Amino acid sequence: MAEIRPIALRNGVLELIDQRRLPSVETVIRCRGARETARAINRMVVRGAPAIGVAAAFGIALEAARFRKSRLLEDYDAASSLLLASRPTAVNLAWALSCLRPLAVAAAEAGMTPARLSRRLVSQARRMLIDDVAANRAIGEHGAKLIRRRGPLVTHCNAGALATAGYGTAVGVIRRAWELDNSREVYAGETRPYLQGSRLTAWEFTKLGIPVTLMTDSMAGRLFQSRAIAAVVVGTDRTAANGDVANKVGTYPLAVLARRHGVPFFVAAPTSSIDLDCPHGDAIPIEERDASEVTHVAGRRVAADGVKVFNPAFDVTPAELVTAIITEQGVVRGNYVTGLRRVVSRAQSARAAVTKAALSS
Ligand code: MRU
């Protein structure tokens, strides 16, 4: 099966699989700069924390060709702010833009042309894309080793290839676990209101040939009562320094259920989704989305006219309910404060070497 790659640079243009139209229509949206990319992120053409980080990197890299030579850094920061405003919860956006900023600083100091800065940034964005897939594969390896019980796995939202540069985080763990034991099956929550589970995750597992059963989110309690679940595996948009995990709304109830039923609850988190500057989950900004996502289904109103709507896109699972956080740098459990610092510092050293090489190229 050809791997799903939601983000690609073709002929100098960013191509994003339009995830709003899956699974019925497979088409791409093209972006030529920061404004178009920010709009694509805001409108959910591309979604999933690592995917929006990598898309933003390409967006700013293409935009750089239009920066003013005398104001490279100011223009970088303005384009960055535009992209950062597109969605607030996933920290990967800020992570990607801050990883690239040293190149803009160096370019401004050296009086580089915008075209040259753009080429440098594009090459770093490509590297980020490759590294993200590699990180997901490493997460898959580490995570699959943690799943020791027999029985079905449960996931929520879409933390698959579509939510990343490829392969997936939580889906990556499940893929690898299934390769090691293909008697396994997966239950995917449909993920109201945006239906990432039914539209995207079910599509990905079906393509992979991994047995998947779809349920509405409210059916999870009955599932835990009726089947011996091996583990819950989810992704994250931002994990705070103390191990509190923001992920798609509906994740926290699954963690509560897992604890009640003695089932391990694993979070697949690339270090790009860990925010050490955020002390705990209460400090994570939670995106509130349009009421129409709840009042309408497939474009048709289903709710009573005039009703008020609560539509947070994410919730926060407290660290105490998380059995382990699986990163590309290894598994963290127990003391999240020190463990997360350790893995982030390893990742930062690797990234610093990449940036140094880019600066001398
Ligand atoms: O609103 P979305 O679809 O961007 O939310 C995505 C999620 O919550 C994912 O679980 C998270 O970004 C991790 S993706 C590897």
Side-chain angles (χ1 to χ4, degrees), residues 277-301:
D277 293 331
C278 183
H280 48 70
D282 289 348
I284 299 177
I286 300 293
E287 177 183 9
E288 298 250 357
R289 293 186 57 87
D290 198 85
S292 63
E293 288 183 355
V294 177
T295 55
H296 290 62
V297 172
R300 286 189 52 193
R301 187 168 185 104

mmCIF file of all heavy atoms in Angstrom, residues 277-301:
data_model
loop_
_atom_site.group_PDB
_atom_site.id
_atom_site.type_symbol
_atom_site.label_atom_id
_atom_site.label_comp_id
_atom_site.label_asym_id
_atom_site.label_seq_id
_atom_site.Cartn_x
_atom_site.Cartn_y
_atom_site.Cartn_z
ATOM 1 N N ASP A 277 7.348 25.080 28.375
ATOM 2 C CA ASP A 277 7.036 26.414 28.904
ATOM 3 C C ASP A 277 5.628 26.477 29.475
ATOM 4 O O ASP A 277 5.232 27.479 30.062
ATOM 5 C CB ASP A 277 7.141 27.476 27.796
ATOM 6 C CG ASP A 277 8.572 27.631 27.333
ATOM 7 O OD1 ASP A 277 9.477 27.386 28.151
ATOM 8 O OD2 ASP A 277 8.772 27.956 26.145
ATOM 9 N N CYS A 278 4.887 25.431 29.267
ATOM 10 C CA CYS A 278 3.512 25.395 29.766
ATOM 11 C C CYS A 278 3.507 24.488 31.005
ATOM 12 O O CYS A 278 3.722 23.284 30.891
ATOM 13 C CB CYS A 278 2.640 24.807 28.647
ATOM 14 S SG CYS A 278 0.932 24.772 29.068
ATOM 15 N N PRO A 279 3.323 25.060 32.192
ATOM 16 C CA PRO A 279 3.540 24.259 33.409
ATOM 17 C C PRO A 279 2.524 23.134 33.600
ATOM 18 O O PRO A 279 2.867 22.066 34.091
ATOM 19 C CB PRO A 279 3.430 25.292 34.541
ATOM 20 C CG PRO A 279 2.685 26.451 33.945
ATOM 21 C CD PRO A 279 2.982 26.460 32.478
ATOM 22 N N HIS A 280 1.264 23.369 33.237
ATOM 23 C CA HIS A 280 0.217 22.365 33.458
ATOM 24 C C HIS A 280 -0.935 22.590 32.482
ATOM 25 O O HIS A 280 -1.007 23.623 31.803
ATOM 26 C CB HIS A 280 -0.295 22.411 34.901
ATOM 27 C CG HIS A 280 -0.616 23.795 35.346
ATOM 28 N ND1 HIS A 280 -1.692 24.491 34.854
ATOM 29 C CD2 HIS A 280 0.028 24.631 36.192
ATOM 30 C CE1 HIS A 280 -1.704 25.694 35.385
ATOM 31 N NE2 HIS A 280 -0.670 25.815 36.202
ATOM 32 N N GLY A 281 -1.843 21.622 32.479
ATOM 33 C CA GLY A 281 -2.918 21.643 31.497
ATOM 34 C C GLY A 281 -3.816 22.864 31.535
ATOM 35 O O GLY A 281 -4.341 23.281 30.490
ATOM 36 N N ASP A 282 -3.989 23.473 32.735
ATOM 37 C CA ASP A 282 -4.887 24.641 32.813
ATOM 38 C C ASP A 282 -4.351 25.809 31.989
ATOM 39 O O ASP A 282 -5.091 26.728 31.650
ATOM 40 C CB ASP A 282 -5.032 25.120 34.269
ATOM 41 C CG ASP A 282 -5.836 24.132 35.082
ATOM 42 O OD1 ASP A 282 -6.459 23.236 34.473
ATOM 43 O OD2 ASP A 282 -5.804 24.233 36.325
ATOM 44 N N ALA A 283 -3.051 25.781 31.693
ATOM 45 C CA ALA A 283 -2.452 26.898 30.942
ATOM 46 C C ALA A 283 -2.518 26.668 29.431
ATOM 47 O O ALA A 283 -2.074 27.513 28.655
ATOM 48 C CB ALA A 283 -1.005 27.081 31.387
ATOM 49 N N ILE A 284 -3.077 25.541 29.007
ATOM 50 C CA ILE A 284 -3.131 25.260 27.558
ATOM 51 C C ILE A 284 -4.361 25.952 26.962
ATOM 52 O O ILE A 284 -5.478 25.762 27.444
ATOM 53 C CB ILE A 284 -3.216 23.730 27.288
ATOM 54 C CG1 ILE A 284 -1.966 23.032 27.856
ATOM 55 C CG2 ILE A 284 -3.373 23.440 25.788
ATOM 56 C CD1 ILE A 284 -1.968 21.513 27.726
ATOM 57 N N PRO A 285 -4.165 26.774 25.910
ATOM 58 C CA PRO A 285 -5.330 27.417 25.292
ATOM 59 C C PRO A 285 -6.173 26.369 24.558
ATOM 60 O O PRO A 285 -5.632 25.575 23.781
ATOM 61 C CB PRO A 285 -4.717 28.406 24.293
ATOM 62 C CG PRO A 285 -3.325 27.910 24.038
ATOM 63 C CD PRO A 285 -2.899 27.104 25.225
ATOM 64 N N ILE A 286 -7.452 26.357 24.843
ATOM 65 C CA ILE A 286 -8.338 25.374 24.206
ATOM 66 C C ILE A 286 -9.192 26.084 23.160
ATOM 67 O O ILE A 286 -9.951 27.003 23.481
ATOM 68 C CB ILE A 286 -9.238 24.669 25.252
ATOM 69 C CG1 ILE A 286 -8.381 23.931 26.305
ATOM 70 C CG2 ILE A 286 -10.227 23.713 24.575
ATOM 71 C CD1 ILE A 286 -7.587 22.748 25.798
ATOM 72 N N GLU A 287 -9.043 25.633 21.927
ATOM 73 C CA GLU A 287 -9.788 26.233 20.812
ATOM 74 C C GLU A 287 -11.287 25.942 20.947
ATOM 75 O O GLU A 287 -11.680 24.815 21.224
ATOM 76 C CB GLU A 287 -9.263 25.605 19.511
ATOM 77 C CG GLU A 287 -9.974 26.059 18.262
ATOM 78 C CD GLU A 287 -9.436 25.333 17.008
ATOM 79 O OE1 GLU A 287 -8.646 24.378 17.133
ATOM 80 O OE2 GLU A 287 -9.838 25.745 15.909
ATOM 81 N N GLU A 288 -12.088 26.987 20.756
ATOM 82 C CA GLU A 288 -13.549 26.801 20.704
ATOM 83 C C GLU A 288 -13.949 26.995 19.247
ATOM 84 O O GLU A 288 -13.569 27.990 18.632
ATOM 85 C CB GLU A 288 -14.260 27.857 21.551
ATOM 86 C CG GLU A 288 -13.903 27.790 23.007
ATOM 87 C CD GLU A 288 -15.040 27.310 23.903
ATOM 88 O OE1 GLU A 288 -16.150 27.080 23.380
ATOM 89 O OE2 GLU A 288 -14.797 27.183 25.118
ATOM 90 N N ARG A 289 -14.702 26.076 18.698
ATOM 91 C CA ARG A 289 -15.018 26.164 17.274
ATOM 92 C C ARG A 289 -16.481 26.538 17.048
ATOM 93 O O ARG A 289 -17.274 26.608 17.976
ATOM 94 C CB ARG A 289 -14.646 24.842 16.584
ATOM 95 C CG ARG A 289 -13.120 24.641 16.608
ATOM 96 C CD ARG A 289 -12.688 23.438 15.832
ATOM 97 N NE ARG A 289 -13.128 23.483 14.458
ATOM 98 C CZ ARG A 289 -12.461 24.068 13.464
ATOM 99 N NH1 ARG A 289 -11.313 24.663 13.703
ATOM 100 N NH2 ARG A 289 -12.938 24.031 12.245
ATOM 101 N N ASP A 290 -16.787 26.761 15.786
ATOM 102 C CA ASP A 290 -18.096 27.294 15.429
ATOM 103 C C ASP A 290 -19.249 26.379 15.880
ATOM 104 O O ASP A 290 -19.159 25.150 15.781
ATOM 105 C CB ASP A 290 -18.137 27.448 13.900
ATOM 106 C CG ASP A 290 -19.256 28.371 13.496
ATOM 107 O OD1 ASP A 290 -19.013 29.594 13.513
ATOM 108 O OD2 ASP A 290 -20.369 27.881 13.202
ATOM 109 N N ALA A 291 -20.327 27.018 16.327
ATOM 110 C CA ALA A 291 -21.497 26.278 16.819
ATOM 111 C C ALA A 291 -22.093 25.368 15.746
ATOM 112 O O ALA A 291 -22.651 24.305 16.056
ATOM 113 C CB ALA A 291 -22.553 27.264 17.301
ATOM 114 N N SER A 292 -21.950 25.768 14.493
ATOM 115 C CA SER A 292 -22.586 24.993 13.414
ATOM 116 C C SER A 292 -22.036 23.565 13.336
ATOM 117 O O SER A 292 -22.695 22.662 12.840
ATOM 118 C CB SER A 292 -22.409 25.704 12.073
ATOM 119 O OG SER A 292 -21.038 25.761 11.778
ATOM 120 N N GLU A 293 -20.800 23.347 13.850
ATOM 121 C CA GLU A 293 -20.254 21.977 13.833
ATOM 122 C C GLU A 293 -21.113 21.038 14.688
ATOM 123 O O GLU A 293 -21.159 19.836 14.451
ATOM 124 C CB GLU A 293 -18.819 21.966 14.381
ATOM 125 C CG GLU A 293 -17.806 22.589 13.446
ATOM 126 C CD GLU A 293 -16.383 22.492 13.978
ATOM 127 O OE1 GLU A 293 -16.186 22.023 15.124
ATOM 128 O OE2 GLU A 293 -15.467 22.899 13.259
ATOM 129 N N VAL A 294 -21.763 21.630 15.713
ATOM 130 C CA VAL A 294 -22.576 20.809 16.616
ATOM 131 C C VAL A 294 -24.044 20.810 16.180
ATOM 132 O O VAL A 294 -24.721 19.784 16.266
ATOM 133 C CB VAL A 294 -22.428 21.325 18.073
ATOM 134 C CG1 VAL A 294 -23.324 20.546 19.024
ATOM 135 C CG2 VAL A 294 -20.970 21.222 18.515
ATOM 136 N N THR A 295 -24.504 21.952 15.713
ATOM 137 C CA THR A 295 -25.931 22.041 15.365
ATOM 138 C C THR A 295 -26.252 21.385 14.020
ATOM 139 O O THR A 295 -27.406 21.086 13.740
ATOM 140 C CB THR A 295 -26.395 23.512 15.295
ATOM 141 O OG1 THR A 295 -25.536 24.206 14.381
ATOM 142 C CG2 THR A 295 -26.365 24.192 16.657
ATOM 143 N N HIS A 296 -25.204 21.203 13.190
ATOM 144 C CA HIS A 296 -25.426 20.650 11.850
ATOM 145 C C HIS A 296 -24.687 19.334 11.668
ATOM 146 O O HIS A 296 -23.590 19.163 12.203
ATOM 147 C CB HIS A 296 -24.967 21.635 10.774
ATOM 148 C CG HIS A 296 -25.835 22.849 10.664
ATOM 149 N ND1 HIS A 296 -25.999 23.748 11.700
ATOM 150 C CD2 HIS A 296 -26.611 23.306 9.642
ATOM 151 C CE1 HIS A 296 -26.832 24.713 11.316
ATOM 152 N NE2 HIS A 296 -27.218 24.459 10.068
ATOM 153 N N VAL A 297 -25.251 18.430 10.911
ATOM 154 C CA VAL A 297 -24.551 17.205 10.514
ATOM 155 C C VAL A 297 -24.602 17.147 8.989
ATOM 156 O O VAL A 297 -25.684 17.260 8.406
ATOM 157 C CB VAL A 297 -25.195 15.943 11.137
ATOM 158 C CG1 VAL A 297 -24.569 14.671 10.563
ATOM 159 C CG2 VAL A 297 -25.043 15.956 12.664
ATOM 160 N N ALA A 298 -23.422 17.000 8.375
ATOM 161 C CA ALA A 298 -23.306 16.968 6.911
ATOM 162 C C ALA A 298 -24.093 18.118 6.270
ATOM 163 O O ALA A 298 -24.826 17.926 5.295
ATOM 164 C CB ALA A 298 -23.763 15.617 6.363
ATOM 165 N N GLY A 299 -23.961 19.314 6.865
ATOM 166 C CA GLY A 299 -24.565 20.506 6.285
ATOM 167 C C GLY A 299 -26.042 20.698 6.603
ATOM 168 O O GLY A 299 -26.623 21.704 6.227
ATOM 169 N N ARG A 300 -26.642 19.744 7.315
ATOM 170 C CA ARG A 300 -28.087 19.881 7.629
ATOM 171 C C ARG A 300 -28.275 20.134 9.109
ATOM 172 O O ARG A 300 -27.689 19.445 9.958
ATOM 173 C CB ARG A 300 -28.832 18.593 7.247
ATOM 174 C CG ARG A 300 -28.991 18.470 5.740
ATOM 175 C CD ARG A 300 -29.902 17.326 5.388
ATOM 176 N NE ARG A 300 -31.178 17.362 6.075
ATOM 177 C CZ ARG A 300 -32.029 16.339 6.116
ATOM 178 N NH1 ARG A 300 -31.728 15.214 5.526
ATOM 179 N NH2 ARG A 300 -33.185 16.444 6.751
ATOM 180 N N ARG A 301 -29.124 21.115 9.434
ATOM 181 C CA ARG A 301 -29.361 21.428 10.838
ATOM 182 C C ARG A 301 -30.101 20.275 11.509
ATOM 183 O O ARG A 301 -31.098 19.772 10.985
ATOM 184 C CB ARG A 301 -30.173 22.722 10.962
ATOM 185 C CG ARG A 301 -30.288 23.169 12.387
ATOM 186 C CD ARG A 301 -30.825 24.557 12.597
ATOM 187 N NE ARG A 301 -30.748 24.818 14.022
ATOM 188 C CZ ARG A 301 -29.841 25.585 14.603
ATOM 189 N NH1 ARG A 301 -28.971 26.234 13.891
ATOM 190 N NH2 ARG A 301 -29.825 25.730 15.919
#
